[in-house]
Amino acid sequence: MIEYLPLVMFLVVCLALMLGYPVAFTLAGVALLFAGSGIIAGVFDPALLLTFPGRLFGIMSNYTLVAVPLFVFMGVMLEKSRLAQELLSNMAKVCGGLPGGLGLSVIVVGALLAASTGIVGATVVTMGLMSLPTMLKHGYQPALATGTICATGTLGQIIPPSIALVLLGDVLSSAYQQAQLKLGVINLQTVSVGDLFVGAIVPGLLLVIMYMVYLLIVAKVRPASAPSVREPEGAENISRGRLLLSLVPVLVLITLVLGSIILGIATPTEAAGVGALGALILAAVKRQLDLPRLREVMRATTRVSAMIFTILIGASLFSLVFRGFGGEELVHHLFEQLPGGVFGAMVVVMLVIFLLGFILDFIEITFVVVPIVGPVLLAMGVDPVWLGIMIAINLQTSFLTPPFGFALFYLRGVTPDSVPTSAIYRGVAPYIGLQLLLLLVLALWPQLVTWA
């Protein structure tokens, strides 16, 4: 049974997390508990724990991870500057006359907000506060309204610049190098966050289009669920001008951040710095920048960044002990026994990640599961960028799948009591299906990601 200790260790972590213990301390605590037991039983080399300080130093000196607090700062600052509120108001007035027009406005503004913030929680709460009362007031079915807002908020997972892609890029880069070393490659190739950003552009746009098509179909089949909103005569022309004025700053910021990365002018970290500065300037131009608001943004940035890096440290210790028990070799052996080779292994990994999304957060899965399965899949010849985007989209469903879908919790917190929680769950179900459909499309046509 000793050879199956890594799997037991993984199951114990999942159970402890389901009981509500803090993620970072659960990962580190379970790792130390198993390491100590292994040392006493003589099946774990204590010298491996001496390498942990080196891992910590590697995390602290990782230039790529500097982009995380910068992107968080940019997203929180844009949220506080009320940019989305102005965009949504003008977009709704322009598109409201169409069947499902208000819902389409939510999707478009949510996508723009995702491309400029990349923070799911901020997007869901912001869109919920701004658009849900209006949608309910104009007769939108509660399930459709809440489902649309939740699903739109999760676009920040896949549309760059995404914090999830930054974290995945760092983890996959390490996994890719391990896979190449295992194959005896001398000149190691790397996969960067910028590669994932480029690979995510087409899938992100496809997902937005799929959301919009679904909403249009619902508005056509069941007009009462997504009625049109008529504006007074002449209001639409005025709103078009205002919409253009509110769109320009967002598009300029997105172009500066993503364009500089795609063209190779700047690294993701440098582009994140530009984005943070751009968010400050936009807030100042809109007269939304003052000392109390800046202090609030910096505190929020510190909290989110500290949470991510603490989990990363705990996950690093967990993966060290997991490998010390031979976990990587066990996973590799199990994958080799699966029917279907690489295809079978990918199906199993995608299914496991999807199921884990019901009980774990995307950060936990990124730092715990991906380092375990990533090197094995990459050694089997899977394209690292395609694998990263497939995992990112799969992780996106974890925000919508009950009982622990965080987007559901975020929206429930700002939803009127008249809307039952069951309506939110029903509303997100079709959007989960669309995300899984996108996974199938990318599996059949990986060129949409690799551009090859």
Side-chain angles (χ1 to χ4, degrees), residues 68-385:
V68 173
L70 290 172
F71 277 133
V72 172
F73 179 90
M74 172 178 135
V76 177
M77 180 57 74
L78 287 174
E79 177 201 350
K80 302 298 181 186
S81 66
R82 300 184 180 179
L83 193 67
Q85 184 174 354
E86 186 180 329
L87 259 177
L88 184 61
S89 175
N90 293 323
M91 182 75 73
K93 289 175 182 175
V94 172
C95 302
L98 300 172
L102 189 54
L104 293 176
S105 302
V106 169
I107 294 174
V108 172
V109 174
L112 291 172
L113 201 58
S116 54
T117 66
I119 303 175
V120 172
T123 306
V124 172
V125 171
T126 301
M127 299 301 290
L129 288 171
M130 291 188 307
S131 59
L132 184 57
T134 305
M135 295 176 82
L136 296 176
K137 175 185 173 183
H138 287 95
Y140 270 69
Q141 184 188 34
L144 180 63
T146 54
T148 300
I149 293 170
C150 272
T152 301
T154 64
L155 289 172
Q157 277 285 104
I158 188 63
I159 296 180
S162 161
I163 294 174
L165 292 178
V166 174
L167 300 177
L168 264 176
D170 182 68
V171 172
L172 281 175
S173 177
S174 175
Y176 194 35
Q177 291 180 0
Q178 291 177 38
Q180 291 177 91
L181 287 172
K182 188 175 292 186
L183 295 172
V185 177
I186 298 176
N187 296 319
L188 298 181
Q189 297 177 321
T190 60
V191 54
S192 68
V193 175
D195 295 331
L196 291 185
F197 280 5
V198 173
I201 292 175
V202 173
L205 291 175
L206 277 177
L207 196 56
V208 173
I209 292 171
M210 290 166 74
Y211 284 0
M212 296 176 73
V213 169
Y214 165 73
L215 196 62
L216 287 171
I217 292 174
V218 171
K220 182 72 174 177
V221 175
R222 302 198 311 266
S225 299
S228 58
V229 180
R230 296 293 175 187
E231 291 293 329
E233 193 73 28
E236 187 174 317
N237 293 330
I238 297 173
S239 297
R240 283 174 181 167
R242 290 177 178 171
L243 175 62
L244 187 60
L245 288 175
S246 57
L247 263 178
V248 169
V250 180
L251 294 177
V252 169
L253 185 61
I254 293 172
T255 302
L256 284 175
V257 174
L258 292 184
S260 60
I261 296 172
I262 294 171
L263 296 176
I265 299 172
T267 65
T269 302
E270 293 165 345
V274 172
L277 178 60
L280 272 172
I281 294 172
L282 282 180
V285 169
K286 292 184 172 295
R287 298 181 180 179
Q288 297 293 327
L289 183 62
D290 51 30
L291 191 57
R293 182 170 280 114
L294 181 60
R295 189 182 292 118
E296 184 183 356
V297 170
M298 293 178 71
R299 282 176 178 165
T301 302
T302 303
R303 281 196 301 269
V304 174
S305 302
M307 177 198 69
I308 291 174
F309 282 95
T310 306
I311 294 175
L312 177 53
I313 290 170
S316 179
L317 180 57
F318 179 86
S319 64
L320 174 65
V321 176
F322 184 88
R323 287 195 175 91
F325 279 115
E328 191 171 331
E329 290 76 13
L330 175 62
V331 172
H332 193 275
H333 176 71
L334 292 175
F335 279 5
E336 284 183 337
Q337 303 304 314
L338 290 173
V342 178
F343 176 78
M346 273 297 299
V347 170
V348 169
V349 169
M350 289 293 108
L351 181 61
V352 168
I353 289 177
F354 176 72
L355 294 177
L356 285 175
F358 283 80
I359 58 174
L360 300 180
D361 183 32
F362 85 96
I363 299 177
E364 300 152 26
I365 298 175
T366 300
F367 288 153
V368 178
V369 180
V370 178
I372 294 172
V373 301
V376 180
L377 288 174
L378 294 173
M380 296 173 77
V382 176
D383 185 276
V385 176

Side-chain angles (χ1 to χ4, degrees), residues 19-36:
L19 293 174
Y21 290 106
V23 177
F25 304 118
T26 298
L27 292 171
V30 170
L32 290 175
L33 181 64
F34 272 78

